[in-house]
Amino acid sequence: MDQSAQQARQLDSLAAIPAPMPFAGFTMPGLPGMPAPVLPPEPKPILELDGEEKENELDSLTDWVEDFLMPVYGAEITTAAPWCEQWQEHLDVVAWLHALWMAYQQHKDPEAGPSGMFVWHRDFLTHAMAAVRAAGGPLSACQTDLDRPAHRLLCGPGRSTRPATAEGDDTDRVSEAAS
């Protein structure tokens, strides 16, 4: 009986203190006793942010655009490549430049390897700048001459003027067209 009681106490103490895990530095999520990995926060597009979080992100983006992007890659302002000193008011431009900035951060990271920045130039920079600064793009109504600053937001597509229809109406029209 004494031996049984001693074994029960030993089992209780073993159950209370987790045994040291070999290779504790290697985490395997889902295994009992192993900590869940800490993941960085999911990046969010700037237009999905609100309040102070959006303001802080826009401030950081503005610093990057004005201190790095435009001085290095902005070239000259022309009718073929317009720019706007008030680009933050053009939501589509903000979205494009924010995506470009997030890609820049990812590709300059050492984990991207030696070709990371080349990939950023080839796959992101060229396309984004061509879209933002296109002659008929979102900034086309703004500054095209350094001596004549201009800023004008272009009107986007208006709301649909089509009357709302019930769900069944579409299927009736499709059935009639098929007949």
Side-chain angles (χ1 to χ4, degrees), residues 44-50 54 57-58 61 94-95 98 102:
K44 282 181 149 181
I46 195 166
L47 298 182
E48 292 181 8
L49 302 176
D50 291 318
K54 184 175 186 174
E57 193 75 358
L58 186 58
L61 174 61
V94 170
H98 186 254
M102 290 193 321

Side-chain angles (χ1 to χ4, degrees), residues 41-134:
E42 292 274 331
K44 282 181 149 181
I46 195 166
L47 298 182
E48 292 181 8
L49 302 176
D50 291 318
E52 189 173 331
E53 187 179 20
K54 184 175 186 174
E55 288 177 30
N56 291 340
E57 193 75 358
L58 186 58
D59 286 345
S60 297
L61 174 61
T62 299
D63 290 344
W64 181 75
V65 168
E66 294 179 358
D67 296 341
F68 173 72
L69 183 68
M70 289 307 290
V72 175
Y73 301 104
E76 65 181 294
I77 296 169
T78 66
T79 55
W83 184 246
C84 181
E85 291 297 321
Q86 297 174 42
W87 60 269
Q88 299 94 335
E89 294 181 25
H90 299 265
L91 292 182
D92 47 352
V93 172
V94 170
W96 271 102
L97 294 178
H98 186 254
L100 182 62
W101 180 47
M102 290 193 321
Y104 174 79
Q105 291 175 64
Q106 177 185 358
H107 285 84
K108 76 172 187 156
D109 189 278
E111 288 184 18
S115 62
M117 288 309 297
F118 176 80
V119 171
W120 179 76
H121 281 88
R122 181 194 68 199
D123 294 349
F124 299 94
L125 174 69
T126 305
H127 182 70
M129 292 300 276
V132 167
R133 298 192 64 195

Side-chain angles (χ1 to χ4, degrees), residues 108-171:
K108 76 172 187 156
D109 189 278
E111 288 184 18
S115 62
M117 288 309 297
F118 176 80
V119 171
W120 179 76
H121 281 88
R122 181 194 68 199
D123 294 349
F124 299 94
L125 174 69
T126 305
H127 182 70
M129 292 300 276
V132 167
R133 298 192 64 195
L139 302 177
S140 60
C142 288
Q143 183 174 355
T144 58
D145 182 348
L146 287 173
D147 297 327
R148 297 174 52 207
H151 169 69
R152 194 174 93 209
L153 296 174
L154 297 174
C155 295
R159 295 200 181 263
S160 174
T161 56
R162 259 179 41 194
T165 60
E167 283 184 55
D169 290 18
D170 289 340
T171 54

